[in-house]
Amino acid sequence: MKSGKFKALLLCAALVGAFNQVQAADQFLALPSYRVGPYAAGGSGFYGGAIDYFNLVNANGGVNGVKILWEECETEYNPSRGIECYERLKTKNGGATMVEPLSTGIAYGVLDRLVQDKIPMTTLGYGRSDAANGKVFPYVFPLITSYWNQAAAMIKYLADKEGGYAKLKGKKIVHLYHDSAFGKEPLPVLEAQAKQYGFELIKIAVAPPGSEQQSQWLQIRQAKPDHVILWGWGVMNSVAIKTAQRNGFPREKMLGVWWAGSEEDMIPSGEAAKGYTSMTFNTPGNYPLIDEIRKKVYAPGKGNLADQARIGSVYHMRGLTAGILWVEAIRVAQDKFGKGKTMSGDQIRWGLENLNVDEARQKALGAFGMFPTVKTSCDDHEGSGAVKVQQWDGKKWIAITPNWVVGDKALTRKLVDESSAAYAAEKKITPGCMK
């Protein structure tokens, strides 16, 4: 009997302990992630980085004592599965207070549900570019740089290489793109700038996942373009680089979207990748924050990446950046609504809309220069618009633009206003700032 009572007491204590753990880790974030399939490298690296940052924050006591709680749900980068995961996660643990699907297709699929559910969604470096207008999309945050500003920065970089925008006249630029919402997203900017500067834009689609591109590169070889923009993702990227080599196209004339600029894209490409360039919103290198994660997260065995060689890689650093911005939004929300309290989705939405991660804050976080400074507002849910260009030297990425590059933001803002106004009219939304 005594033994039975003792076991019962132990069980009770374990249950109370588990309950208290959940209560302590009470800021719940939903992660409809993907770690299998053709895009597994991107998903595992990104979410691995974000979770590493959560573990670091929790190891340091949380956000004013509030621990981060999260749950993943495997989407395989499939929009229908992503919507199912969103619905499954949104009511868990007292209700999700933020979501990040890392998929343009999934983001489009859940976008209309966010206002009703009062859950903010970040789309870090992807998704609908016109969601930068918070008056129309109050719960969507395409943080750092949208596809439209990235495309404008690409054209600026290519123009600078040629000697100025005027030198683009008569040039041929191929847009080799993943045939999806993701691949088509930059077209309004590329088409507008082709008309403005007189270059020929040649659009060539690649059916996902992009493991076969011989016919596309035959078209490129026949067109003899001056530049190829590779708007790829997953296996499509290494296939494009190796197929370009087989067709004699110089990698120095290729410029990838930042989802076509990771170590996981380059290493399988071997020597064919040397000299290839891509956009990025992270500066390659090591940072005090990464050293702290090695010491406080990986040394105790709490790291999320199975392969520690990926620590500080492009995808991992991108996930760390996401984690920083999410936690800063929680911190900003707490400053307004109550330090040490769990924030609601609406309160975190306010925090995301009032971010100011300046150089001083980056230094305090051990991440100075790792990503551009971010300052959001109701009018600007993006917060930056700046990028860098990096080049693969055969072993690692090197930033070849010392300063952050910003394209024609007047053009992209005009497109944002026009597109968001059309969306508001279609959905019968009265634009305005939320309090």
Side-chain angles (χ1 to χ4, degrees), residues 36-357:
V36 299
Y39 310 107
S44 61
F46 178 90
Y47 289 103
I51 291 169
D52 282 346
Y53 191 72
F54 296 158
N55 279 322
L56 177 64
V57 169
N58 288 346
N60 288 336
V63 186
N64 297 310
V66 177
K67 299 291 184 73
I68 308 296
L69 176 67
W70 65 91
E71 184 172 330
E72 297 184 75
C73 176
E74 179 61 53
T75 70
E76 298 181 12
Y77 195 74
N78 180 296
S80 60
R81 286 182 66 100
I83 293 168
E84 290 172 10
C85 281
Y86 170 80
E87 291 296 330
R88 188 183 311 162
L89 293 174
K90 74 179 185 182
T91 56
K92 287 202 167 187
N93 301 301
T97 54
M98 196 186 66
V99 64
E100 168 56 73
L102 199 66
S103 159
T104 298
I106 297 172
Y108 269 75
V110 304
L111 189 140
D112 289 339
R113 304 167 190 235
L114 303 172
V115 175
Q116 181 179 342
D117 296 335
K118 298 188 184 304
I119 300 174
M121 175 175 69
T122 61
T123 54
L124 199 81
Y126 72 95
R128 283 191 74 126
S129 299
D130 59 359
N133 184 356
K135 292 178 180 178
V136 176
F137 298 93
Y139 285 86
V140 187
F141 293 83
L143 290 174
I144 297 191
T145 305
S146 69
Y147 284 147
W148 287 357
N149 274 327
Q150 180 179 196
M154 283 176 149
I155 297 303
K156 183 181 189 306
Y157 173 72
L158 295 179
D160 288 346
K161 282 184 70 176
E162 295 287 353
Y165 281 113
K167 300 290 186 180
L168 290 176
K169 188 172 183 180
K171 301 292 184 183
K172 292 181 180 180
I173 299 177
V174 164
H175 178 58
L176 182 69
Y177 66 97
H178 191 276
D179 196 6
S180 64
F182 152 64
K184 296 170 186 174
E185 185 68 22
L187 288 175
V189 171
L190 296 177
E191 289 168 349
Q193 294 204 303
K195 184 177 180 180
Q196 183 178 2
Y197 298 117
F199 63 84
E200 182 183 354
L201 179 66
I202 303 169
K203 294 171 277 189
I204 301 177
V206 176
S211 51
E212 173 50 54
Q213 297 177 40
Q214 194 57 45
S215 63
Q216 287 87 351
W217 281 94
L218 178 60
Q219 292 178 62
I220 291 170
R221 189 168 66 183
Q222 290 171 342
K224 297 180 181 176
D226 298 280
H227 304 283
V228 169
I229 290 174
L230 173 59
W231 207 276
W233 183 218
V235 68
M236 174 180 166
N237 299 326
S238 58
V239 171
I241 290 166
K242 288 186 284 189
T243 311
Q245 183 191 45
R246 286 199 300 271
N247 282 272
F249 191 83
R251 261 65 68 216
E252 292 80 3
K253 289 188 175 183
M254 295 175 69
L255 179 61
V257 64
W258 47 53
W259 302 114
S262 71
E263 290 83 356
E264 289 83 357
D265 298 317
M266 300 302 104
I267 293 169
S269 304
E271 282 298 309
K274 192 172 182 180
Y276 169 82
T277 54
S278 84
M279 311 304 288
T280 181
F281 55 79
N282 290 115
T283 306
N286 197 50
Y287 297 86
L289 171 64
I290 295 175
D291 291 334
E292 189 181 9
I293 283 173
R294 290 181 190 276
K295 180 180 177 181
K296 293 185 179 179
V297 178
Y298 280 86
K302 295 180 180 178
N304 194 263
L305 294 179
D307 180 2
Q308 293 193 27
R310 299 180 73 194
I311 299 171
S313 65
V314 167
Y315 287 143
H316 185 250
M317 197 182 294
R318 204 163 287 166
L320 292 177
T321 301
I324 288 171
L325 296 178
W326 300 336
V327 170
E328 289 304 293
I330 296 167
R331 197 182 308 279
V332 169
Q334 283 192 15
D335 286 344
K336 180 175 174 64
F337 300 107
K339 286 187 177 181
K341 294 182 179 179
T342 303
M343 296 291 100
S344 68
D346 257 339
Q347 289 168 334
I348 292 182
R349 188 213 68 78
W350 188 91
L352 287 165
E353 193 168 272
N354 290 274
L355 284 171
N356 185 16
V357 186

Side-chain angles (χ1 to χ4, degrees), residues 135-137 418-431:
K135 292 178 180 178
V136 176
F137 298 93
E418 291 173 352
S419 180
S420 59
Y423 180 87
E426 177 192 346
K427 300 291 183 177
K428 296 181 173 55
I429 296 169
T430 302

